Amino acid sequence: MTDSARFKAATASGTEWSAIAKDCLDRLGDVGGCNLGFLYVTDALADDATSIVTLLRGVTGIRDWVGTAGIGVCGTGRELFDQPAISVLCATLPEDGFRLFPVLSGDLEPMRRMAGGWLDRHGASLALVHADPRHQHVPDILGALEEASGAFVVGGLTSARGQLFPQFTIPGNTATMAAGPVADGGVSGVLFAPGVAVATGLSQGCSPIGPVRTITACEENVLVEIDGRPALDAFKEDIGDLLARDLRRVAGYIFAGLPIAGSDTGDYLVRDLMAIDPRTGWLAIAERVQPGQRVLFTRRDRDSAETDLRRMLKGMKRRLSGPPKGGIYVSCIARGPNLFGNASEEMTIIREEIGDVPLAGFFASGEISHGRLYGYTGVLTLFC
């Protein structure tokens, strides 16, 4: 990235979309020269997504916008939940440093059509994506995107309580923008060339409470045996006597962790417990598993989440080639006020560790890192 690269961010809330958007524009100030915008709106403004991005495009002169909706949005030191709110980050990047691609709902042909020539010339080191959680093939699309582009794929799934799950993107055919740059139903985002200096980090929201074990018998998402004995026996052993005597208390507190093969950081995917059958000793989790696969159990708590978040932030600072100039943060909807409290504490921790860096982001229904779907995590992308 050139020394002229700059980022400006703004976050605002209110009652009417137009007033909130204008407040963001006032807070942004002069964004002349910026050529890429990141836009996140709370789901209360999902109906107004097209109007919001159209206004921002017209006033700022920035043509290319990416982003989505979340139950909450975040900015530098701020988290806004359960209210109409907008978070914006405007960036100045080399014209050939990035390329948007439209919604991918099946194969990658729309991306090849819109960004194939650019990929051939520049390659991609990172893709920041947004995805529709209602689309059952999102995991497959993410894997195919990472393999085909060679990019490290990060991002998150839209979170919304209504019927609309907007993504800010470009249409599959840019001959006309008449319908507005808003879509849904798959995966969309932006590719960054290797010349754009960027770093990413993943912070877990759960901590292991027992050893890594082996699934020895299972049926789809049901764990029948772990380490050669009933799955529930191993589960009770790991969670301790107090919880084992009242399994109703584990809901929303204890989760299954699936270690990622080949990870040199001990990384794992957290999945919800769906059901416990004391009669058979079976456990059902929110992921299909196979015999021989590794599993561990985890606990969700604020202290371990904060410790891991600070660890991740300190590690990123060491890896950066210079001071961060801007960033995007995608956090799980189960984090934020649901884990850290109501005083924007998660974003305050980030500001304490990396400073007043212009940031935008949202609270997702699933987080994406290295082309995989996570839960209860925070994914930070920093530009420098």
Side-chain angles (χ1 to χ4, degrees):
M1 185 181 298
T2 64
D3 290 338
S4 62
R6 66 188 181 112
F7 293 78
K8 302 190 75 172
T11 307
S13 61
T15 56
E16 298 292 333
W17 75 264
S18 57
I20 303 170
K22 290 174 183 175
D23 192 0
C24 278
L25 288 166
D26 289 341
R27 293 170 185 262
L28 285 170
D30 181 14
V31 294
C34 290
N35 55 0
L36 176 61
F38 301 88
L39 171 60
Y40 299 100
V41 304
T42 55
D43 59 336
L45 296 177
D47 287 341
D48 304 302
T50 298
S51 298
I52 293 168
V53 71
T54 299
L55 175 64
L56 294 178
R57 291 179 79 229
V59 174
T60 65
I62 300 171
R63 181 194 64 184
D64 293 329
W65 291 84
V66 295
T68 190
I71 290 176
V73 297
C74 56
T76 307
R78 291 188 79 185
E79 300 167 16
L80 297 168
F81 268 77
D82 296 321
Q83 58 185 302
I86 298 173
S87 182
V88 179
L89 178 72
C90 297
T92 305
L93 298 173
E95 288 297 334
D96 282 338
F98 68 94
R99 193 65 86 240
L100 273 63
F101 61 89
V103 168
L104 309 174
S105 57
D107 60 34
L108 302 184
E109 182 54 33
M111 183 189 73
R112 295 189 184 99
R113 185 169 61 247
M114 302 301 299
W118 179 88
L119 271 171
D120 290 341
R121 292 191 304 274
H122 303 282
S125 60
L126 182 83
L128 176 67
V129 304
H130 308 96
D132 192 326
R134 302 168 300 179
H135 196 290
Q136 62 179 335
H137 297 301
V138 162
D140 296 332
I141 296 172
L142 293 174
L145 172 62
E146 189 158 274
E147 180 178 359
S149 67
F152 189 95
V153 178
V154 299
L157 305 183
T158 304
S159 62
R161 288 160 290 199
Q163 300 299 311
L164 298 179
F165 289 69
Q167 295 172 38
F168 302 109
T169 179
I170 56 174
N173 181 357
T174 55
T176 175
M177 299 291 280
V182 179
D184 64 5
V187 178
S188 66
V190 55
L191 299 160
F192 294 99
V196 176
V198 65
T200 70
L202 171 77
S203 177
Q204 294 280 4
C206 298
S207 56
I209 57 174
V212 177
R213 299 181 180 275
T214 301
I215 300 169
T216 46
C218 59
E219 295 180 11
E220 296 190 344
N221 68 321
V222 176
L223 282 61
V224 177
E225 290 185 357
I226 296 176
D227 291 344
R229 57 194 178 116
L232 187 55
D233 289 354
F235 179 73
K236 287 182 175 180
E237 182 178 302
D238 290 348
I239 65 176
D241 291 339
L242 186 62
L243 288 175
R245 287 197 297 267
D246 186 2
L247 293 174
R248 292 172 298 180
R249 298 176 60 186
V250 306
Y253 180 55
I254 303 297
F255 304 87
L258 302 174
I260 296 173
S263 171
D264 58 2
T265 59
D267 203 6
Y268 52 88
L269 305 176
V270 175
R271 295 295 183 258
D272 290 335
L273 296 175
M274 305 299 291
I276 298 174
D277 189 338
R279 181 180 59 84
T280 62
W282 295 356
L283 299 173
I285 67 173
E287 183 83 10
R288 290 190 176 187
V289 292
Q290 297 178 345
Q293 191 169 347
R294 309 288 272 172
V295 67
L296 55 86
F297 296 105
T298 69
R299 176 182 64 240
R300 176 173 172 257
D301 67 85
R302 186 203 185 285
D303 289 344
S304 61
E306 178 178 344
T307 298
D308 196 69
L309 178 58
R310 291 188 185 275
R311 173 204 60 77
M312 181 265 284
L313 293 167
K314 287 180 171 63
M316 288 188 71
K317 284 180 68 175
R318 288 192 297 269
R319 290 188 285 117
L320 292 174
S321 59
K325 296 182 178 179
I328 298 294
Y329 189 57
V330 180
S331 186
C332 181
I333 54 176
R335 292 168 65 98
N338 295 304
L339 182 62
F340 291 96
N342 293 316
S344 298
E345 293 177 47
E346 186 171 10
M347 295 306 295
T348 297
I349 292 168
I350 293 175
R351 183 167 59 183
E352 288 174 355
E353 295 291 344
I354 66 171
D356 283 316
V357 176
L359 288 173
F362 76 111
F363 290 86
S365 60
E367 305 77 61
I368 300 166
S369 180
H370 210 335
R372 304 185 186 99
L373 282 177
Y374 287 79
Y376 306 97
T377 60
V379 178
L380 178 64
T381 301
L382 291 176
F383 300 90
C384 61

